[in-house]
Amino acid sequence: MTDVLIVGAGPAGLSAGIACAQHGLQVNILDEFTLPGGRLLGQLHEEPDGSWWNGMAEAKRLVEQAKNLGVHIDCGVSVYDVAKTETGWRVSTTRGIIEVPKLLLATGAAETTIPLPDWTLPGVMSIGAAQVMTNVQRVKVGNRGIVIGVNVLSLAIARELQLAGIHVDRIVLPARNLLTKDSGNPEKVMQSMLRLAHLAPSTFIRLGSKLIKSEAMLKLALSFLPSSGIRMWGIPIQVKVAALEIFGDKQVEGVKIVKVNTKGEPVLGTEKVIPADFVCIAGGLSPLVELAAVAGCPFAYLPELGGHIPLHNERMQTPVAGLYVAGNITGIESAKVAAAQGTVAGLSIADEFGKLPEKKLLQTAMKKVEVVREHAVIQFDPYIEKGRRTISSMYAQQNTGA
Ligand SMILES: Cc1cc2nc3c(=O)[nH]c(=O)nc-3n(C[C@H](O)[C@H](O)[C@H](O)COP(=O)(O)OP(=O)(O)OC[C@H]3O[C@@H](n4cnc5c(N)ncnc54)[C@H](O)[C@@H]3O)c2cc1C
């Protein structure tokens, strides 16, 4: 008899399964993908100390540990409904209905795309699709590509494409409009780029970013920045160039770009056509929360965490009895943070079953989430900690009725 059902076999779900099983609980993890590991499977990046983060190896390690502890991992199974019962949860899956006392949702994140003329042409894909095709399916996405959208994910994945021998011609902004908002605004993008400078292999970029300490300095630096941009790993990152449209007949043939000023306004007469046989659109990530909504969990809208977030506390409990959340469903952060949150959720569930020998284990795991967050190489939002504090206090208010 299963004590805990976990939806999602990413770092959060696997780590939670391990923590539960280590305390004697019967765990079943379901994932709709054909392999366990979630988004870990596509990740490959260099840490500032020169070591490599190999997500595929990390996934293998977690899966082996979970299986050795007796965790059942079923792949190729989608969960499409969850309903509260008197004793727990009735979970509807593509392989039938499962009844369980405790349910943990670790469904991760979804990509946001940016609509652009002719974005439906073959050869146009989201940046995450390019990552999966390259690192998981081992399919070459093309020979010469352009990435639209400058953010932590697009930089990390452009580097992964380059490591796979694919030429990334440049990374540009989307044209500034109502939909693209800050991602089409060079000043905002430059601000976020400075937080990513530690990823850059060039000492020049790292030192330069440390010297820019105020908004005025940032504006000045941006005004002097040539439209050819700065290079990371030899890839031009052009924050003063925007993509106007993608074009092609039966397949992508290129992108029409234009120079923009520091506010993202096009400089007339500077339009240019750049040839490409693939285009990646990088519009950011948002938590995949539908099942939490169906479960009746209350939500809060917190842009710093990536959007609509199911209310939860530091123990990863939601206000709905027997329902837990962990990983990117609670806010967009790196894989290491997701894994640390998964451990907390697992220990929290074990505690509720009365199987945790010492409360200290849970306290230590909660502290570890903060430490991992503080040292995370990949940070998706500068105000993540503020978002975390807000959601915790909203949970506390809801539970005390304040
Ligand atoms: C495209 C993409 C690329 C990313 N690249 C990086 C990167 O390079 N570095 C980095 O640090 N972070 C990256 N991230 C952030 C990433 O989400 C975290 O690193 C980490 O993988 C989150 O862990 P998680 O366990 O919360 O979710 P995930 O790893 O996303 O795992 C969630 C799992 O839940 C499954 N699932 C979802 N809904 C259902 C359902 N209804 N039924 C059954 N199964 C379901 C999914 O198939 C998935 O395997 C990326 C995110 C995305 C979306």
Side-chain angles (χ1 to χ4, degrees), residues 7-13 30-33 35 37-40 42-45 53 77-80 106-111 127-129 131-132 153 156-157 160 285 288 291 326-329 332-336 338-339 378 380:
V7 188
L30 303 180
D31 199 299
E32 63 192 3
F33 192 54
L35 295 170
R39 301 274 61 87
L40 272 179
Q43 296 178 12
L44 182 68
H45 47 78
W53 171 255
V77 186
S78 291
V79 173
Y80 60 87
T107 44
E111 286 190 270
I127 191 79
Q131 185 188 49
V132 173
L153 205 60
I157 298 177
E160 289 169 12
L285 302 175
L288 208 57
L291 289 176
N328 277 196
I329 186 177
I332 307 302
E333 296 200 66
S334 73
K336 289 183 186 176
I378 292 198
F380 288 85

Side-chain angles (χ1 to χ4, degrees), residues 248-281:
D249 182 13
K250 293 196 168 64
Q251 140 86 29
V252 172
E253 288 168 25
V255 177
K256 190 185 205 181
I257 58 168
V258 67
K259 288 184 186 173
V260 295
N261 65 18
T262 56
K263 301 203 174 323
E265 294 153 349
V267 180
L268 292 181
T270 62
E271 293 86 355
K272 209 165 126 184
V273 160
I274 308 291
D277 62 6
F278 76 96
V279 171
C280 297
I281 299 181

Side-chain angles (χ1 to χ4, degrees), residues 134-146:
T134 308
N135 293 347
V136 185
Q137 320 281 16
R138 307 290 159 117
V139 173
K140 195 172 183 186
V141 288
N143 293 308
R144 177 192 163 109
I146 296 176

Side-chain angles (χ1 to χ4, degrees), residues 65-328:
Q65 196 183 352
K67 285 191 172 164
N68 288 340
L69 286 160
V71 174
H72 287 280
I73 305 174
D74 293 320
C75 288
V77 186
S78 291
V79 173
Y80 60 87
D81 190 26
V82 293
K84 190 99 189 72
T85 63
E86 272 180 20
T87 52
W89 293 92
R90 183 180 302 117
V91 179
S92 302
T93 83
T94 44
R95 278 205 207 140
I97 289 175
I98 303 172
E99 304 261 355
V100 276
K102 306 281 181 220
L103 177 64
L104 167 65
L105 301 177
T107 44
E111 286 190 270
T112 313
T113 48
I114 303 165
L116 221 69
D118 267 351
W119 68 325
T120 51
L121 276 171
V124 182
M125 63 199 83
S126 72
I127 191 79
Q131 185 188 49
V132 173
M133 280 167 79
T134 308
N135 293 347
V136 185
Q137 320 281 16
R138 307 290 159 117
V139 173
K140 195 172 183 186
V141 288
N143 293 308
R144 177 192 163 109
I146 296 176
V147 176
I148 301 174
V150 178
N151 53 47
V152 63
L153 205 60
S154 68
L155 298 193
I157 298 177
R159 172 66 171 148
E160 289 169 12
L161 296 178
Q162 189 190 49
L163 287 168
I166 298 165
H167 178 67
V168 178
D169 187 72
R170 65 192 67 208
I171 309 180
V172 300
L173 299 190
R176 192 170 178 185
N177 58 40
L178 276 176
L179 290 173
T180 56
K181 297 183 195 144
D182 285 355
S183 60
N185 180 341
E187 280 175 15
K188 298 282 183 199
V189 172
M190 187 78 175
Q191 261 170 9
S192 62
M193 284 274 294
L194 292 178
R195 288 185 301 109
L196 305 177
H198 61 281
L199 291 175
S202 147
T203 317
F204 173 71
I205 298 177
R206 274 187 249 157
L207 281 179
S209 68
K210 281 198 180 128
L211 294 175
I212 300 173
K213 293 206 183 303
S214 66
E215 198 148 314
M217 280 176 88
L218 182 123
K219 283 187 178 160
L220 190 69
L222 188 60
S223 67
F224 281 111
L225 187 75
S227 55
S228 57
I230 40 174
R231 284 175 181 262
M232 262 166 105
W233 313 291
I235 304 171
I237 300 162
Q238 302 181 329
V239 292
K240 283 164 78 177
V241 172
L244 293 174
E245 62 181 81
I246 300 168
F247 66 87
D249 182 13
K250 293 196 168 64
Q251 140 86 29
V252 172
E253 288 168 25
V255 177
K256 190 185 205 181
I257 58 168
V258 67
K259 288 184 186 173
V260 295
N261 65 18
T262 56
K263 301 203 174 323
E265 294 153 349
V267 180
L268 292 181
T270 62
E271 293 86 355
K272 209 165 126 184
V273 160
I274 308 291
D277 62 6
F278 76 96
V279 171
C280 297
I281 299 181
L285 302 175
S286 61
L288 208 57
V289 294
E290 287 82 353
L291 289 176
V294 172
C297 185
F299 276 74
Y301 181 69
L302 293 167
E304 54 274 47
L305 296 183
H308 294 277
I309 309 293
L311 224 51
H312 62 278
N313 62 11
E314 288 98 337
R315 295 170 60 114
M316 301 292 139
Q317 286 171 311
T318 74
V320 183
L323 182 70
Y324 299 77
V325 283
N328 277 196

